[in-house]
Structure formats: structure tokens, C-alpha cells
Amino acid sequence: MSNILNIGKSALNAAQIGISTTGHNIANASTPGYTRQVIVQAASQAQNFGYGFVGQGTDITGINRVYNDTLAKQLLNTTSTSSASSAYYNSINEINGLLSDSNAGLSPVMTKFFSAVSAAAANPTDVATRQTVLSSANSLLNRFSAVNNRLDDIRQSLNTQVSASVNTINSYATQISQLNLVIDKAMSTTGNPPNDLMDQRDLLLTKLSEQVKTTVVKQSNGNYDVFIGNGMPLVVGDDTYPLYAQSSYTSPNRLEIAYGDKSTPKIIDSSTLAGGALGGILAFRNETLDTVQNQIGQLAITLATQFNEMQQNGYDLNGTAGVAMFNIPQPQTTSSTNNVDKSKLATATFVPGQSQQLTSSDYTLKYTGGQYNIIRNSDKVVTSSATLPVTVDGIEFNVNTTTPAEGDEYMIRPTQGAASKITLAFDDVEKLALAERVDSNGNVVAFKGAGDNTNGLRLAKLQDAASVRLLGSNANRSYAQAFALMVSAVGTKTNEMMVTSKADASALEGATSAMQSESGVNIDEEAANLLRYQQAYQAAGKMMQIASQLFDVLLQLGQ
């Protein structure tokens, strides 16, 4: 009788655990990251009675998660890829709207400015048309400044996003390492996996992959070692290796990612942190924002410089030699905070008459092996010289004192931010130099009178001159063409990222669906399981009732 009772008891226990597990699944059907659980059931060891082995009921050997490592890995990868392309697209779409807006863009004000110059050239003695030139010039500068300031706002917003993303990544890393510790302790103590804790850890990994590309290596003790980007350790067991948001060595207003020893973390190349929202915004900043802002600055400086040079080739309304119409800032230079000799500073100046050589690139001046190496950052072309000054791309590079220390370097930004720093040099309409002072052969000629418009016509023709140098192109372009090509490039990249982000989102949806179909809770299926276990429970109870009745019969026979 005890055998029948034990079998019934084991069946009753199995059904009860099945009901509890099924109920747990139903209760967590909408819980983010929850993985469906199933009981693992096996027949108890049968007993040999001579005539055969008689079963002894059932044992519950474990409660497992329905988890597929391959699908989980695919979900992490697609989450990272989708977050990166979405972050890139959202950022570049804002710039695309800014540049392509027919009202807020630069094309209308440039056209209006040169139309005013043409009108003044047609009537050089008219004060009103001269005033229109100055007003249009002021409007042009205001528009350049507005566009540049909006790009600065986007840049500052990216700094905020970088800082927030780094904090989020570090928070997830800490939580994962703590869960590693708890899960390891639970498994070593009980021998059974704590499924709900493992779900929490996997959910944190998914959230981490939204921020940065994430790779997981599972250890034999159940711990996860987590690597980010191109393989940097973030979590190893219960140890974490956090990231830091740190100002660039050569640009205090630019946040970069640092990694390593807490007391002296080193800035790493942003390309090593591909994937996720962090990788997406870093790629956008490096590939698009820097390029566009530099090109806007190049366009503004080139236009202002060439107009100044032509203005200085003429006579003003009073027969006085023309003066510069625009105040133009010189290139920005910053010393690396890692420099040995911080007293030495780099200098950079625009070379007169070489504005057509100006590019949209930043430059690095580095002293190594007894040589000054001027690196054009956009394409890594290097110009080396044993001495300074040296002229590259219309810019004269120098260092303010004696030889720098080995390895010292400086960042030179000729055009970034320049669009908002150019100002009008005068507001006197009579100083507009429309009369010829220097002829086409470079000879100085006498003042021909206030009605002479020769230089005014030359100023107007600057609109269509091939004045702006484009890297990667064999020919210079006009101001309008250069701006149009920039807008076109941004538009093309925006469209590319829109298509990519949609495709990546679709891939993520597919990976999520595949994971859910395997590991997610199906309410209908769980309801069927609940009914099955209920029936098993009732049957087991009936078995124990019968065993009890049989036991009563034996007792009655013994009386």
C-alpha cells in the first residue's frame, strides 16, 4: 500500500509543481525579458520484485528556461545594429532638414547678396544700392552664423547623449556583474539555475546592446563575460571595466570615450565602439557633423576672403583704395593636453591669395623624429618638414617658440565654427570699392571716377567663379555649386540611412519574433498545460484515495 501511496504522492507533487510553473508563466506573460519555463520530469528508479520491475512514480529533476543561445545572439546583434542606424538617421535627418530648407538654407541669401552686388555695379554712384549690398552682406553673415550655431547645438546635444550613454552602459555593467555573482552562488549552492535571475541578466544584455555592440561568452559556472564594440571587456565575472566620457585631448568641448585604469583612462578611437546608439551617434559626428560644419566654414571663409581681395583691388566712392569688407578669423589651434612642453603653441594663418587651396579638413601638427608632420585628417595625407613655417593647402603652419618635445602635437581647425565668427568690417556705404584700382594684369591704375564699375562687375562675377576646393575632386566649384554638392551628399546619406534603419528595424522585428516564438509565453498553450496538470492532479488524488480505501480493507480483514 505504501508503494501506491508514494507513487500517488509523487504524481500529486509533479502536477502541483507543473501547475505552479504554468501559473508563473501566465503571470509573467507580459514581463519584459521573461523566458518561458518548463518542468523536467523523469520516471523514478523502478524496483525489482522478481517477476519484473515495478515503477515507483516520478521525479522532478529541474525547472528549465526555454532558451535558444543562437536566437539570443541574433537578437543582441540585430538590436545593436538597429539602434546604431536609427541613432545615425535621426541625427542626420535634422541636418538634412536644416540645409535643404529653401527658406533657412544658404543658397537664397548668397543669391540675394550677389544680386545686390550686381545692382550696385550697374549703378555705382547710387547710395541706396550700396546700402543694399551691406544689408545683404549682413543677412548672409547672420544666416551663416545661424546655421553654424544650430550645428553647434547638435554637437552639444551629442555630448549630452554620449555622457548619458556611457553612464547607462556602466550601470548595466554593474548590474550584470552583480547578477553574475548571485547566479554563481545560487548554482554552486543548489546546483539549479535561478531562472528568473538569468532572465534579468539577459534583459540587461539586450538593453546594453541598444547602447553598444555586445558580445557574450558564457563560462562553465554560469557567469557571463561581456565584451563591447570590437572586443573590449566590460564585465568579466563580477569585475567591471567601465567607460568614461572625457574631453578630447585637443578639443575641450568635445566628449570622447576613455577606457582603462580609473586614475588615468585613455581616450580610444571611436571606431572601436561600433554598434548601438553610442556607436551610431559617434559615427554620425565623425562622418557627417564634422564634415558639414567644416564645409560651411570653408564656404564662408572662401567667400569672405575672395570678396575682401577683390574689394582691395578697387577704389571706393571717394577714390580711396578699397579695404577689406569682412573680418575673418584665423584658424583655431589647440595643444594636446598630453604634450610634454605645454608652453609651446602652434600658430596657423591663412596665406593671402591662396584661398582657393583651402580645404574643409582639420589638421594635426606633430613633432616626431626631428620632423614636423602636418597631417590632413580627412585623408591622412602627410606633409613633413625639418623646419617651420611651412605652407599647406593655403595655410601657414608654425610653432611659437623653439623645437617642441618629441611626440608633442597640436590640432588646427581652419574652418570649424568659422561661419559664425565672420563680421562686417565697415558699415560706410562709400567704402564699397566698385571702381577699378588694379587692372587684370595686376597694374595699379588711376581713379576713373565714381561712375567706374569695373571692380563692381568683378565682384559680381565671383558668384560664378570656381572658387571652392572640394577634397577628392579635380576641379574647384562655385559657392552655389559647393553648397549644392554638400546638400546633395547629406541628402543621399540621409536617404541611405533611412533605408538602412528601416531594414535593420525589420531584421530586429524578425529576430524578436523568432525569440518570442521559442521562448515567449503563449497564453493558449499555457491554458492547455494548466488543464492537463489539473487533470493529472485530480487523477493523482484519486489514486491516493483508492490506496487509502485498499488500506482500509486490509485493516478490516485483520480485525
Side-chain angles (χ1 to χ4, degrees):
M1 293 301 102
S2 61
N3 183 50
I4 298 176
L5 283 171
N6 287 333
I7 292 174
K9 180 181 177 181
S10 70
L12 198 67
N13 183 58
Q16 185 176 5
I17 295 174
I19 290 173
S20 296
T21 302
T22 301
H24 188 56
N25 286 340
I26 294 172
N28 288 281
S30 300
T31 300
Y34 180 78
T35 301
R36 178 167 57 94
Q37 298 178 14
V38 295
I39 63 172
V40 181
Q41 197 169 339
S44 299
Q45 183 67 44
Q47 184 176 353
N48 185 9
F49 284 92
Y51 54 80
F53 287 89
V54 176
Q56 302 297 304
T58 186
D59 292 324
I60 300 298
T61 60
I63 300 177
N64 291 346
R65 299 188 302 161
V66 180
Y67 188 80
N68 187 308
D69 285 332
T70 300
L71 292 178
K73 181 179 179 180
Q74 183 180 5
L75 180 61
L76 289 182
N77 290 337
T78 53
T79 298
S80 172
T81 302
S82 180
S83 293
S85 58
S86 177
Y88 198 127
Y89 171 67
N90 290 337
S91 297
I92 195 174
N93 193 45
E94 187 173 359
I95 287 185
N96 184 52
L98 174 67
L99 298 180
S100 60
D101 189 329
S102 59
N103 295 318
L106 290 169
S107 289
V109 287
M110 285 195 293
T111 299
K112 185 176 180 181
F113 171 66
F114 280 106
S115 294
V117 174
S118 296
N123 195 0
T125 59
D126 184 63
V127 173
T129 56
R130 286 172 170 265
Q131 182 60 56
T132 302
V133 172
L134 295 184
S135 298
S136 299
N138 195 54
S139 297
L140 176 61
L141 296 183
N142 287 340
R143 186 62 53 81
F144 268 119
S145 182
V147 171
N148 184 76
N149 290 342
R150 185 68 194 98
L151 296 176
D152 277 340
D153 290 341
I154 294 174
R155 186 177 298 280
Q156 186 58 45
S157 174
L158 292 184
N159 280 344
T160 302
Q161 292 178 58
V162 167
S163 180
S165 183
V166 166
N167 290 337
T168 300
I169 289 170
N170 290 339
S171 175
Y172 290 154
T174 299
Q175 294 177 67
I176 291 170
S177 69
Q178 291 172 346
L179 283 170
N180 271 345
L181 186 64
V182 175
I183 290 170
D184 180 31
K185 184 177 180 180
M187 292 186 69
S188 61
T189 303
T190 68
N192 296 314
N195 294 324
D196 293 328
L197 293 178
M198 297 174 78
D199 283 346
Q200 291 178 31
R201 186 175 61 179
D202 287 329
L203 178 60
L204 287 171
L205 286 171
T206 301
K207 290 182 176 180
L208 178 62
S209 68
E210 293 175 356
Q211 299 297 321
V212 67
K213 180 182 177 183
T214 304
T215 306
V216 178
V217 176
K218 293 186 177 181
Q219 301 301 324
S220 58
N221 62 353
N223 278 354
Y224 281 178
D225 291 344
V226 182
F227 302 86
I228 58 174
N230 292 344
M232 292 188 302
L234 181 70
V235 179
V236 178
D238 57 352
D239 294 324
T240 60
Y241 301 86
L243 302 177
Y244 303 91
Q246 181 174 307
S247 294
S248 167
Y249 297 138
T250 55
S251 181
N253 296 325
R254 182 188 184 93
L255 282 186
E256 300 284 7
I257 308 300
Y259 181 80
D261 185 80
K262 183 177 181 180
S263 59
T264 56
K266 303 297 182 184
I267 290 177
I268 59 177
D269 191 322
S270 59
S271 63
T272 63
L273 287 174
L278 179 60
I281 60 177
L282 290 176
F284 160 75
R285 185 174 68 180
N286 294 338
E287 297 170 7
T288 299
L289 179 59
D290 288 346
T291 299
V292 168
Q293 193 163 25
N294 284 9
Q295 288 176 339
I296 293 292
Q298 177 198 13
L299 181 59
I301 287 177
T302 302
L303 189 156
T305 299
Q306 293 173 358
F307 200 92
N308 277 355
E309 290 172 350
M310 189 62 71
Q311 165 81 7
Q312 290 168 316
N313 282 342
Y315 287 112
D316 66 16
L317 190 62
N318 299 315
T320 304
V323 296
M325 183 174 173
F326 299 102
N327 296 315
I328 302 173
Q330 292 299 325
Q332 304 174 60
T333 63
T334 52
S335 304
S336 170
T337 55
N338 291 330
N339 283 1
V340 175
D341 189 346
K342 294 181 172 56
S343 67
K344 295 181 174 64
L345 304 173
T347 62
T349 55
F350 295 118
V351 178
Q354 294 192 21
S355 59
Q356 290 185 341
Q357 297 301 314
L358 180 64
T359 75
S360 58
S361 180
D362 295 334
Y363 297 81
T364 299
L365 172 59
K366 190 169 185 178
Y367 186 76
T368 54
Q371 291 254 334
Y372 295 95
N373 296 301
I374 300 169
I375 305 163
R376 190 165 64 203
N377 295 346
S378 59
D379 55 13
K380 305 305 179 185
V381 172
V382 179
T383 301
S384 298
S385 176
T387 60
L388 292 179
V390 64
T391 297
V392 177
D393 297 338
I395 302 168
E396 183 184 272
F397 295 86
N398 206 345
V399 175
N400 66 337
T401 56
T402 56
T403 305
E406 175 71 15
D408 279 2
E409 66 176 70
Y410 312 87
M411 177 68 75
I412 293 88
R413 294 182 174 84
T415 63
Q416 191 177 108
S420 62
K421 298 176 182 177
I422 301 173
T423 60
L424 280 178
F426 59 79
D427 57 8
D428 184 352
V429 297
E430 295 183 357
K431 289 187 176 181
L432 191 61
L434 303 180
E436 181 182 42
R437 187 177 71 88
V438 178
D439 64 18
S440 56
N441 296 317
N443 300 314
V444 177
V445 298
F447 181 48
K448 300 176 183 177
D452 180 19
N453 67 350
T454 305
N455 203 55
L457 295 174
R458 290 172 181 166
L459 285 168
K461 287 182 180 179
L462 288 175
Q463 180 178 14
D464 301 318
S467 305
V468 184
R469 179 183 178 185
L470 301 182
L471 286 172
S473 175
N474 294 325
N476 285 16
R477 308 291 182 180
S478 69
Y479 310 125
Q481 288 173 336
F483 181 72
L485 287 171
M486 178 178 63
V487 173
S488 176
V490 171
T492 299
K493 185 66 176 180
T494 302
N495 186 65
E496 175 192 331
M497 293 311 303
M498 179 182 67
V499 173
T500 301
S501 64
K502 286 183 178 179
D504 290 341
S506 178
L508 174 58
E509 184 179 350
T512 302
S513 177
M515 188 72 176
Q516 283 297 309
S517 66
E518 176 123 357
S519 302
V521 176
N522 184 307
I523 294 296
D524 292 337
E525 182 181 345
E526 298 302 323
N529 287 338
L530 196 62
L531 181 61
R532 179 166 60 88
Y533 286 124
Q534 179 189 13
Q535 292 172 342
Y537 190 90
Q538 292 170 341
K542 188 67 174 177
M543 181 191 301
M544 296 186 71
Q545 181 184 10
I546 291 172
S548 177
Q549 291 171 351
L550 291 174
F551 190 71
D552 289 342
V553 170
L554 289 177
L555 289 176
Q556 291 172 6
L557 290 174
Q559 291 178 353

